[in-house]
Amino acid sequence: MTVRNWLTLAVLVVDAAVLAVVELLFLPLRFDGYVLPNALGGVPVPLSALVAALTTPWLVSVAGRLSPKLLVAAAPLLAWIVVVAIFGMFGPGGDMVLISDWRSLLLFACGALPSAIVLGRVLATTLTAPQ
């Protein structure tokens, strides 16, 4: 890999970590009158899960284009999982940022599962490609 590819991979990993923090902070978002209007009586809005489902697989696919190696292609996914786990359990000031309901599971499922599928596709195409 070239220096440019290493720098691109570093940006992808940092981007995955920042997105994980932002997704965790917006996880408790709901229509309750504080950030969103009180139009629906406090209905939760799983916007973080949607952002995770769109961005994390894209980061994995871009990393997979840099190098066919497993650790390079999986680096954004691994960074996202580690940040969600550590920052979610031991957040700022010792607070637990992961809330105890279905939105936390949805965030993890929407971030990790599509990314794992994309990672499998990246690895399968590199293994079956003619040498």
Side-chain angles (χ1 to χ4, degrees), residues 107-119:
L107 173 68
F108 193 76
C110 287
L113 291 178
S115 302
I117 292 169
V118 169
L119 179 62

Side-chain angles (χ1 to χ4, degrees), residues 27-80:
L27 189 60
L29 189 64
R30 58 179 49 236
F31 285 104
D32 58 0
Y34 290 108
V35 176
L36 297 177
N38 193 5
L40 301 175
V43 174
V45 180
L47 186 63
S48 296
L50 177 65
V51 172
L54 295 174
T55 58
T56 313
W58 178 75
L59 293 171
V60 170
S61 69
V62 172
R65 281 185 245 139
L66 295 175
S67 174
K69 295 181 181 176
L70 173 64
L71 285 179
V72 173
L77 175 60
L78 294 174
W80 185 86

Side-chain angles (χ1 to χ4, degrees), residues 27-30 44 97-107:
L27 189 60
L29 189 64
R30 58 179 49 236
V97 181
L98 277 174
I99 53 179
S100 302
D101 68 358
W102 58 272
R103 290 175 285 178
S104 296
L105 182 60
L106 184 67
L107 173 68

